[in-house]
Amino acid sequence: MTAWRVSRRPCRALGLLLLVLLSVLVLRRLDWHSLISPWLRQRRSGLHTKGQNFMLEDSTFWIFGGSVHYFRVPRAYWRDRLLKMKACGLNTLTTYVPWNLHEPQRGTFDFSENLDLEAFVRLAAEIGLWVILRPGPYICSEIDLGGLPSWLLQDSGMKLRTTYRGFTEAVDLYFDHLMSRVVPLQYKHGGPIIALQVENEYGSYNKDPAYMPYVKKALQDRGIVELLLTSDNKDDLSKGVVDGVLATINLQSQQDVQLLTPFLLSVQGVQPKMVMEYWTGWFDCWGGPHNILDSSEVLNTVSAIVDAGSSINLYMFHGGTNFGFMNGAMHFQEYKSDVTSYDYDAVLTEAGDYTAKYTKLREFFGSISGGTLPPPPAILPKTAYESLSPALYLSLWDALQYLEEPTNSEKPINMENLPVNNGNGQAFGYTLYETTIDSPGVLSGLVRDRGQVFVNTVFFGFLDYKRKKIIIPLIQGYTMLRILVENCGRVNYGDNIDDQRKGIIGNIYLNNSPLKNFRIYSLDMRKSFFQRFNSSAWNLVPEAPTFPAFFLGALPVDLPPLDTFMKLEGWEKGVVFINGQNLGRYWNIGPQKTLYLPGVWLDQGINQVIVFEEKMAGPVIQFTETPRLGRNQYLN
């Protein structure tokens, strides 16, 4: 009996250990493979360098990567996009991590639903892709403020992307949270992450020599043990290097490929060569063309990069969409905001369809992979739903009574410093400023980015970067001055990111005298914003609507929903919401003429469509199976 009891103790201990491990699995949300993989086979050295080669453990390794941003693709389509990447012959996924979306309020984090980074990384591993993570804190990515949260700008002395204490304290708290999620997903812990990038293109900014070493240490102090990389444009490469971190380069033209080896040799000697961003296309700005790059040129450049002995990452493999208000902007000679589509003329289209680039690159990577590629998944079907006419309407001026109480202030307050969102200010959307005036004259001031000026409810013009003054006429009786200001997108690249506060900046003047006593409404247009409009708030659409206004319609879907593209001919400028999802901005100046509507955001049955239109409503909202992204312009 004693011998039997002794022999049972190891079994009981093993059972207890398994129970503990299963409890950890549930609490930490780790998949079983990630938990036991380090026990199944030893992972010692991970991705590392040996002379001019990358090595994964003891084998030479080539990085054939592609960029897909989880936050620009509906979660239900992540698998489809990554399977298409695998079928193209790529072995590595790269993605940015947008701080501004993950920490919308200081100390409040969101890694749920479409922002579930861990699920995205684990899915890549399941499909058979390695992962290079680009966690920032600054990422550029044509996203608002380069992915930095707008609440940082509440500090009037803020110096972004430096070792300024107010910035590093915020980064430290963010990295504390983010890296606790990332560390278990590293290669040496059994996960797919083989490398991480230290910040992004810092050589083009280069304002603080202590900053990049700080970011490197911030990653390593929190348990990052994989290979670290930097990423810079060729002209800024030497200014972005960090000791102990592998430099990589960004480029597009075949001419630049000739400089690949000498540029990288000059900054780090004999090391593996890597093009972190080979730009397969380019982004678009409102009022410009749709930029494209010929598929044969893409193939020739990719082939030249590989022939030069370099690993490569295709930026973008699949661009996706700037849903909501996430788009960024450029401001060099003039301010230009980015369009909603992030199609990028990439290897896959905005809706995940194949292109000529995909066909040619699949053949190329298949020829050098030494094996048979998996078959490409079928493309997702599209449809053109019946046009709909909005039945109900609510002018902005009538909607104000349903909103949260406005902020009362002697002077205008910029978006970021408004006392809303638990003290974190307003990040995105529109802000309405109201005050009374008693005389005509010249109205002037700094408005960012685009301010529509009304007297009572009558529109008189715009204030923006080019138009800094407007004439206010004499109007009898009570006179309410209203300025509706839109944040069209904070600059995501350049030296002026510290100067990206939105709304009215400083005083607004009438005849050179500062106006006072403002009521300020925050119109962020999140889901909770529309929940304040009860059914009795809406009216039938009149023959002559008062603008700006909200228009409400219903889209019936009889069969299982499919992807489609919304076309707003006859409408001028605004934002579209489907079942509470913000599809993004439209504007008749183009180039983009349609908005991508993923079928997974539709219900079988009746779907709510809300359009916020600033100036002019069309008779119907149309749908089409094919996108219209504007007049093509070939990139030089």
Side-chain angles (χ1 to χ4, degrees), residues 154 400 403-426 430-436 480-481 483 504 516-524:
Q154 291 182 325
L400 296 180
L403 305 184
E404 292 184 1
E405 286 296 312
T407 298
N408 294 305
S409 174
E410 182 181 7
K411 297 180 179 181
I413 304 174
N414 59 286
M415 272 190 185
E416 296 77 8
N417 288 97
L418 285 172
V420 297
N421 297 325
N422 297 318
N424 289 273
Q426 182 181 342
Y430 297 75
T431 307
L432 177 66
Y433 298 82
E434 292 185 343
T435 189
T436 56
M480 172 77 74
L481 175 71
I483 306 175
I504 295 178
K516 298 184 183 299
N517 299 323
F518 286 85
R519 286 189 302 177
I520 308 172
Y521 293 87
S522 174
L523 311 176
D524 56 17

Side-chain angles (χ1 to χ4, degrees), residues 535-548:
S535 58
S536 62
W538 298 92
N539 301 296
L540 294 176
V541 179
E543 287 189 15
T546 299
F547 292 97

Side-chain angles (χ1 to χ4, degrees), residues 252-319:
Q252 185 168 64
S253 73
Q254 290 189 57
Q255 290 78 8
D256 288 343
V257 177
Q258 300 171 15
L259 304 173
L260 171 62
T261 298
F263 265 109
L264 287 171
L265 272 173
S266 68
V267 299
Q268 62 188 8
V270 177
Q271 290 280 2
K273 296 189 285 287
M274 171 80 183
V275 176
M276 178 57 75
E277 293 186 11
Y278 166 64
W279 302 313
T280 61
W282 202 246
F283 58 91
D284 299 338
C285 296
W286 289 114
H290 173 47
N291 294 300
I292 63 172
L293 190 61
D294 182 76
S295 61
S296 295
E297 183 175 345
V298 169
L299 175 63
N300 291 337
T301 306
V302 169
S303 177
I305 291 170
V306 175
D307 286 347
S310 175
S311 288
I312 186 173
N313 176 57
L314 305 174
Y315 188 99
M316 297 291 297
F317 178 78
H318 169 56

Side-chain angles (χ1 to χ4, degrees), residues 186 237 259 261 287 310 365 415 432 495 574 582 596 625 636:
Q186 294 180 100
L237 195 62
L259 304 173
T261 298
S310 175
F365 286 116
M415 272 190 185
L432 177 66
D495 291 338
N582 188 334
Y596 173 51
E625 296 181 17
N636 294 323

Side-chain angles (χ1 to χ4, degrees), residues 390 392-393 538 541 545 547 549-553 571 609-611 613 617:
L392 301 175
Y393 144 94
W538 298 92
V541 179
F547 292 97
F550 300 92
F551 293 83
L552 174 62
W571 303 72
V609 180
I610 294 178
V611 179
E613 168 58 50

